[in-house]
Each structure stands twice: as structure tokens, then as C-alpha cells.
Amino acid sequence: METSLDKTKSGGVPESNSRLRAIGDRVLTEKDTDVTLAFLKLYEHDAEPLSPEEEGRVVRKVHLWILTLVLLINLMLFLSKGIGYTDQNAMQIDKATLSYASILDLFEDTHIGNTDYDNLNTIFYVGYIVAQLPGHWLIQHLPLRQFMAGSIFLWAVIVLLHCTAVNYGGLIALRFFLGAVEAPLVPAMEITLGMFLKPQEQSTAQPLFWISCMGSPIPAGFIAYGLLRSNSSVPPWKLFMVVTGGITLFLAAYTWFYYPSNPTEARFLTTREKVYAVQRIHAATHSSIEQKHFKPHQFREALRDPVSWLFFLAAFTLMLSNNLAYQQNLLFVSLGVSDLGSTLVAAASGGFSVASCIVAAVLLRLFPGQAAFWGLFWCLPAIAGGIGMVALPWDSKLALLACLILAGGTFGVTYIITLGWTTSSAAGHTKKMTRNALFMVAYGIANIISPQIWVVADAPRYYPAWIAQIVISWVGCPLCLFGIRAILLRRNALRRAWLAEQGSSGNSGRAYLEKRDAMGNPVTEEVEISLLDLTDGENMFFIYPL
């Protein structure tokens, strides 16, 4: 694999002191650098190295603060979304209230039926897709703290506005704008995890982060249970919106003060700790942390990279089964569970999903570098549950209930693993953002289609929907992941051979920037390659995580 860094023997070092090394046909300037470069220039030389004990404390502090923050955001947002969720999946950030609202008199008050309900789930993802590219552009150009706080505030306002809806048309508009506001938030939090955690740490932390979504049925189920037993004159589904929307307003204020745009702005770290936090990520990835300029060549590279499109297919195939989360409470009722009982069963299902996440985090830590295998592993219970839903007689209520929970509570872990791998397997901020946008567009397209496979005429067994989920989602997605693994294994073999050659030549991964001195004269400055915001295609020092 030829990259711009293997076109000369020096592997990125200028051929002479007066000639600047170019990446392809581009000259590197300060505009190309990581945002942390200025911070390191100011503080790196004066910051005393941390002792091993201090380094361990910083790593624990980063994990505690960052995971707690993003987990809290994910949980609260999941609970505040306005019309839709019953179960587990990490991807369901939009679903925390719709399916609960469906059993809290939403249908009666707004005069909608099952088909309208499915269309509301679909229109959410129309907004989700439309806002992907603009949202990712804002992530790259705005301070991440301000972007997150502003988006969460708008989210809360839209959730509260659901209380004003009196008909199907009003809900359609609200669902579209809710999807548009949510669109870039999951990628933004994934980018944040990549800023603070090494690739292997990020892989292990992913299931713990997504516990907030997998377990959201637990608090949501009990809130819905309490509202169903209330005697208020206000419809229970509107109270649900008020409770979750109000909590989200407080979350927006909290995010404004405490969400770090990058490690150099983390309030919970001292200056010495910030320097170490930046250095450890650069050393682990040999790539940049954040870059605020859109780079067209990185965008084009992302589109030309077959790995980007395999991740696109993985998201699309898996998410065709995503509407199972919307359908689950209704399926519980079809199996004979009461409205009240279905909220408690959903809470139990959420507990099972949380347990799956914890087990997944342990397994990923014990057996790293096996993302494709773990993606397959967590689809196997879903396949078994789906086969049970098709094959068992309808009067086997408990067995069918168990199969439904098994199918719905496990394949979300595959999504978690795939989403984290999408981010960690790319370098170059614009390329990483582009790949994330493609992934989320695939997610949105699949979720537009997904509700439509649950045709009312197929109730209550929904044989075509279950067969489609088994074959396309829970078999098709792992096949895509193994395709990605094969490509990255081949690339890593070439890179390690190249690195062995560089080791003998003394090249340690440094490059040069063109800049101007105080008199305006052009000069070159030696910097670490990890500070140059190179893509994985440009930077042969980048080793792909598996």
C-alpha cells in the first residue's frame, strides 16, 4: 500500500534543511496541525514528568470523569426523547419515550394508529439523515462544549413541545426536528472518547458507555409505571415528556460548564495532567486529537476507502432490525402482558441488556483485537431468539417472551463494537468525521426502512420481519465486519514491515512544518507526526486497531 509517507527513504523527513517535506502535493503548515500543538508548545517543556503512580491516577481520573459524563448525557437524552423506546439498543438515542408514550394514551389523545406510529418512527430518521453533514460540519468548526450544550438545550425544548401536539401532523414536525438535533450527538461523544482514551481503552469502554442506553428501560419503565398509576388530569404521556424534558434542560446547563472540548480544556485535569493526557493519546495512535479545519483531501480519501463503505453496510444491515426496540412493548402486550406489566418486563429486559454490556466490556478487555469475532458473538443470541419467535407456537407465551428479550437485548452490543471501531480505525479529523457521518447516514436510512417491515397485516407473528432481521441484520452485519478485519490485517502487515525498515534507518516518526518567523521569513519546524492531523492513508506509523 503506497502512501505519501513511503515515497522517500526518509519516511517523512525533508531531503535537505531548505526543502520542506510535502504530503502528496501539499505543503504542511500550522493550519494542518492538531489543536493541541499550541498548548504543548506553551507547557510541555516546563511540565515535570509524572511518576508512574501519578500517571495511573490520571488514567483513572480520565476514565471516571469522561465515562461518567458521556454516560449521563446518553442516559438523560435517552429518557428525554419524546416518543419512542422500549428496550435496549445503544443506537436508540431517539427512542426513550415514543413506545412508552404508546402505552401512556398517546394513540388516543392524538388520534393516531399503528401505521401512523410507524411513520413517526420513520420521519425521525429523515431529519436524522438530513442533518448529518451540517451537524458534523458544526462539530468540526465549533468548540465541542458549546455544540453539545446547545444541541442538548434544543433537544429539551423539542421534547417539551411534544406536549402541545394534538394530532398526527404536529407529531410529524416535532419528530423531524428531534431527529435533526440528535443527528451528530452520538458521533460527537464518540470523538470525545477517542480524544481521551487509547484505542484499546476505547474499545473496552464502549459497552460501559452504552449501558446508559441499554439500561434506559429500567428508569423509563418505572417512570411509566408510576405515571400509569397517577390520577392526574394531565395525560400520562405528556407528564412523561415534562419529566424527561425538564431533566434534559438541567443536563444542558451541566454540559455547558463541564463538557471538555478536548483534553487541554478538561477542567478536572491540572496543566501537568493535561500535557500527559495529550501525550499518551499521541503516543498510542500516532495521529491527531482534534482539528478545526475541513480538509477536502481527507474527505475524498474517506470516500475512496473501502473500509468506510463496509462500515456503512455494517450499520445499514444491523439497523434494519432496530425497530424491534419500538415494537417490543407492543409485542409484550400481544403476548398477553398488561400495559402495566409491559413496563416492568421492559425494565427487566433493560437489566438483561446491562448485564450483556458488562460481560462484553470484560471480554473485550481480556481478549482485545477481536472486534469482528465479538460482533458475531453478540449476534448469535439474537439469531437464536429470532428463530424462536418464528418457530415456537403462539401459545408458548413465556418461551416467546424469553426469545423476544434475548433477540432484543444482545445485538445492540454488536452495534456498540462496530461504532467504536468505525472511529478508532481512521486517522485525520476530517476523514474520521466523514466516516462517522457515512455510518450515521446508513443508520438513518436503515431506520427509515426498518419500521416498514413490521406490516400490520403480519401481526401478531410478523414472520417476514423476523426472517429479514435474522438473515440481513444478524448474519449480514458480521460478514461486513470480517471483511473489514481482512483488509486491516493486510494493511497492518505492510505497515509493520515498513516500520521495521524505518527502525534500521533511525526514523522515529517526525516531520517538518513550514511557518514564518517574526520577520516574515519562511522557516521549518520539526514536530511529531502525531501532531500533523494526517490520515491513516498518509501516516504509515498508524496501526489499525482490530
Side-chain angles (χ1 to χ4, degrees):
M1 173 184 174
E2 183 182 74
T3 73
S4 54
L5 287 182
D6 60 16
K7 294 177 182 175
T8 66
K9 292 182 180 180
S10 58
V13 179
E15 297 176 3
S16 70
N17 292 334
S18 62
R19 183 175 177 182
L20 181 68
R21 175 70 172 94
I23 303 299
D25 58 354
R26 296 179 298 108
V27 172
L28 297 176
T29 66
E30 288 189 294
K31 184 178 179 180
D32 294 291
T33 61
D34 187 6
V35 295
T36 62
L37 176 60
F39 178 85
L40 291 177
K41 283 183 178 180
L42 283 175
Y43 300 108
E44 186 175 28
H45 295 296
D46 296 330
E48 295 182 8
L50 301 182
S51 67
E53 292 77 13
E54 289 175 318
E55 290 179 357
R57 284 198 294 270
V58 172
V59 172
R60 290 191 293 273
K61 186 189 293 188
V62 164
H63 278 75
L64 177 64
W65 275 84
I66 295 301
L67 280 177
T68 300
L69 181 58
V70 295
L71 189 150
L72 179 64
I73 291 173
N74 233 12
L75 174 63
M76 294 302 186
L77 294 182
F78 215 115
L79 293 178
S80 69
K81 288 225 178 154
I83 331 182
Y85 171 76
T86 60
D87 189 353
Q88 74 292 332
N89 293 325
M91 42 296 194
Q92 267 56 294
I93 290 209
D94 56 285
K95 299 179 180 155
T97 53
L98 183 52
S99 61
Y100 280 111
S102 71
I103 60 173
L104 296 176
D105 300 329
L106 171 71
F107 282 23
E108 292 81 358
D109 288 354
T110 56
H111 312 292
I112 64 174
N114 285 342
T115 300
D116 297 330
Y117 175 77
D118 287 340
N119 290 338
L120 289 174
N121 291 332
T122 296
I123 197 65
F124 174 91
Y125 290 102
V126 174
Y128 195 93
I129 293 171
V130 168
Q132 278 301 326
L133 291 179
H136 278 75
W137 188 90
L138 290 173
I139 290 175
Q140 189 164 21
H141 287 80
L142 294 178
L144 202 53
R145 175 182 61 85
Q146 297 176 15
F147 172 82
M148 291 293 293
S151 297
I152 295 170
F153 173 79
L154 291 176
W155 196 338
V157 170
I158 294 172
V159 169
L160 292 171
L161 285 174
H162 276 72
C163 295
T164 66
V166 296
N167 54 37
Y168 179 58
L171 289 174
I172 283 285
L174 289 167
R175 289 296 288 171
F176 175 85
F177 288 111
L178 189 64
V181 170
E182 178 199 327
L185 288 177
V186 172
M189 287 187 283
E190 291 290 339
I191 291 292
T192 298
L193 289 174
M195 290 178 179
F196 286 88
L197 305 181
K198 295 179 179 180
Q200 183 51 49
E201 293 172 343
Q202 187 179 356
S203 175
T204 303
Q206 285 288 333
L208 299 179
F209 164 42
W210 287 105
I211 281 176
S212 55
C213 291
M214 303 285 271
S216 65
I218 299 173
F222 283 110
I223 291 172
Y225 182 85
L227 293 177
L228 279 169
R229 298 178 65 89
S230 69
N231 296 317
S232 172
S233 59
V234 179
W237 70 272
K238 290 189 177 182
L239 291 176
F240 198 91
M241 304 298 178
V242 171
V243 170
T244 56
I247 294 173
T248 307
L249 282 176
F250 285 103
L251 177 65
Y254 181 84
T255 303
W256 176 265
F257 290 104
Y258 292 104
Y259 198 95
S261 294
N262 58 62
T264 67
E265 298 184 18
R267 292 190 173 190
F268 58 88
L269 297 176
T270 66
T271 299
R272 287 177 64 215
E273 291 171 340
K274 290 175 181 178
V275 170
Y276 173 71
V278 170
Q279 290 174 335
R280 70 187 292 267
I281 299 302
H282 285 316
T285 64
H286 293 286
S287 64
S288 64
I289 290 177
E290 187 180 21
Q291 227 285 333
K292 287 301 184 183
H293 297 282
F294 177 80
K295 298 182 178 180
H297 78 279
Q298 291 195 11
F299 176 78
R300 291 191 296 269
E301 182 179 315
L303 295 182
R304 290 194 301 264
D305 192 336
V307 172
S308 298
W309 295 105
L310 283 172
F311 275 119
F312 179 95
L313 287 175
F316 176 78
T317 54
L318 188 63
M319 291 299 94
L320 285 177
S321 62
N322 203 27
N323 200 60
L324 180 57
Y326 285 103
Q327 298 292 333
Q328 201 167 39
N329 268 351
L330 301 178
L331 290 170
F332 289 156
V333 174
S334 297
L335 286 169
V337 182
S338 67
D339 282 355
L340 283 172
S342 69
T343 63
L344 300 181
V345 174
S349 175
F352 172 69
S353 299
V354 168
S356 297
C357 279
I358 294 172
V359 172
V362 173
L363 292 175
L364 286 166
R365 182 176 179 83
L366 294 177
F367 305 99
Q370 307 294 333
F373 290 98
W374 291 125
L376 171 63
F377 177 84
W378 289 103
C379 279
L380 294 178
I383 293 172
I387 292 173
M389 291 300 295
V390 172
L392 291 174
W394 190 244
D395 58 358
S396 302
K397 302 298 185 183
L398 289 179
L400 288 170
L401 190 62
C403 287
L404 180 56
I405 292 174
L406 185 65
T410 53
F411 76 89
V413 179
T414 299
Y415 175 87
I416 294 167
I417 293 168
T418 304
L419 178 58
W421 199 11
T422 302
T423 302
S424 64
S425 61
H429 203 69
T430 299
K431 180 176 181 179
K432 190 176 295 188
M433 298 293 291
T434 303
R435 181 175 289 177
N436 281 349
L438 287 173
F439 188 95
M440 289 300 171
V441 166
Y443 166 82
I445 294 172
N447 276 282
I448 287 176
I449 299 171
S450 179
Q452 309 308 320
I453 70 174
W454 295 85
V455 180
V456 175
D458 296 331
R461 299 308 302 262
Y462 295 103
Y463 287 121
W466 284 107
I467 293 171
Q469 289 177 144
I470 293 168
V471 176
I472 300 175
S473 299
W474 304 329
V475 174
C477 176
L479 289 176
C480 295
L481 298 183
F482 278 100
I484 294 167
R485 179 180 174 86
I487 293 173
L488 299 188
L489 277 172
R490 185 170 65 251
R491 291 182 181 179
N492 279 347
L494 292 171
R495 285 163 188 256
R496 289 192 171 99
W498 182 85
L499 287 171
E501 295 177 2
Q502 301 308 304
S504 61
S505 68
N507 180 23
S508 59
R510 302 187 73 83
Y512 291 76
L513 288 178
E514 181 184 70
K515 57 185 299 184
R516 300 279 177 175
D517 61 18
M519 303 299 295
N521 300 314
V523 296
T524 60
E525 177 185 3
E526 185 182 25
V527 296
E528 290 283 346
I529 282 180
S530 60
L531 290 166
L532 293 183
D533 189 43
L534 302 179
T535 68
D536 52 283
E538 295 170 326
N539 182 3
M540 288 289 282
F541 289 90
F542 182 88
I543 299 297
Y544 293 97
L546 299 174

